[in-house]
Amino acid sequence: KQEVTQIPAALSVPEGENLVLNCSFTDSAIYNLQWFRQDPGKGLTSLLLIQSSQREQTSGRLNASLDKSSGRSTLYIAASQPGDSATYLCAVYQAGTALIFGKGTTLSVSS
Amino acid sequence: DVKVTQSSRYLVKRTGEKVFLECVQDMDHENMFWYRQDPGLGLRLIYFSYDVKMKEKGDIPEGYSVSREKKERFSLILESASTNQTSMYLCASINRAGGETQYFGPGTRLLVL
């Protein structure tokens, strides 16, 4: 059964720092991997989607990488801002099922 | 720009009541999902549907049922609400091929007293 793990569970950084969030999964037979952002009490907003054949995706200050063979993905956030404070969730999609989520990393960026 | 909507943001119900949570998507997606989210447990899949009138159990279907009479609407039903069903409920949809992103609704925070 697919399991998704995110490390660390929480992270606090000062404004301006570059940071990396980690995600690992146990079954490499995935269709794609997505990174989501969730603000307190709100729904999930998709940040980046990486197809299984891709190695990385970029959107603004965000860059996500995927190494399917080792079961790992990273989300790199450049020049962090207080507005980046949120919980970041990683999820993998396998055909015929649903997204399987990690428990998330809660990021706090102080000004 | 509305994509996935949920009927209520906050709901308070009493133990034993029958509760309906509605989800509507406007992207003509085949697949729709219901998750619940609890602190420390993350998102857990309750049920999903890959077509009208079709449904599949997720990881925690006990105490829940679903209905998909129209492609755009997926309903979650708590047959007899219990306090352990107090949670944040999230609906999502994705196209059949799964090559696109999965869209989520804003969530319904349910409190069962």
Side-chain angles (χ1 to χ4, degrees):
Chain A
K1 182 182 176 183
Q2 179 75 268
E3 292 184 4
V4 180
T5 303
Q6 291 187 246
I7 295 173
L11 183 63
S12 292
V13 300
E15 182 176 7
E17 265 201 19
N18 302 325
L19 57 101
V20 174
L21 307 181
N22 296 294
C23 171
S24 62
F25 48 95
T26 55
D27 184 351
S28 62
I30 64 170
Y31 202 87
N32 60 43
L33 182 145
Q34 297 184 42
W35 283 93
F36 292 87
R37 169 185 172 139
Q38 186 177 31
D39 293 296
K42 301 290 180 61
L44 278 66
T45 301
S46 180
L47 297 173
L48 290 164
L49 167 70
I50 311 176
Q51 302 292 354
S52 62
S53 59
Q54 297 175 322
R55 297 284 293 182
E56 66 179 310
Q57 283 287 332
T58 298
S59 176
R61 295 182 294 108
L62 305 179
N63 176 275
S65 69
L66 173 64
D67 184 343
K68 206 172 71 162
S69 61
S70 68
R72 294 179 182 178
S73 176
T74 61
L75 179 66
Y76 174 82
I77 303 177
S80 59
Q81 303 171 357
D84 294 330
S85 298
T87 295
Y88 292 81
L89 293 153
C90 164
V92 297
Y93 183 69
Q94 295 181 285
T97 64
L99 280 179
I100 301 169
F101 285 84
K103 293 184 179 180
T105 294
T106 299
L107 172 66
S108 176
V109 182
S110 56
S111 57
Chain B
D1 192 40
V2 172
K3 297 184 184 298
V4 182
T5 58
Q6 294 183 229
S7 51
S8 304
R9 291 298 308 277
Y10 302 95
L11 214 49
V12 180
K13 296 293 182 180
R14 298 217 172 264
T15 302
E17 279 193 72
K18 191 169 186 176
V19 182
F20 293 86
L21 302 182
E22 302 281 335
C23 175
V24 177
Q25 51 95 3
D26 64 1
M27 296 166 286
D28 201 36
H29 284 167
E30 292 84 4
N31 299 346
M32 296 186 73
F33 309 85
W34 275 106
Y35 295 86
R36 64 177 281 178
Q37 185 177 31
D38 301 286
L41 297 177
L43 275 91
R44 294 179 291 168
L45 181 67
I46 305 172
Y47 266 98
F48 66 102
S49 169
Y50 51 87
D51 207 343
V52 175
K53 297 191 185 295
M54 307 300 287
K55 61 183 179 183
E56 293 285 341
K57 292 181 180 179
D59 297 321
I60 51 165
E62 297 76 21
Y64 303 94
S65 63
V66 291
S67 173
R68 184 115 182 253
E69 296 297 318
K70 293 184 178 181
K71 190 176 185 180
E72 67 272 17
R73 187 180 299 269
F74 191 34
S75 302
L76 179 69
I77 304 155
L78 286 65
E79 298 291 342
S80 177
S82 63
T83 55
N84 63 14
Q85 292 178 311
T86 291
S87 186
M88 172 73 128
Y89 289 88
L90 293 161
C91 173
S93 72
I94 194 170
N95 72 336
R96 185 184 300 281
E100 300 175 3
T101 191
Q102 188 168 38
Y103 291 92
F104 279 81
T108 295
R109 189 168 292 281
L110 173 66
L111 173 62
V112 182
L113 301 174

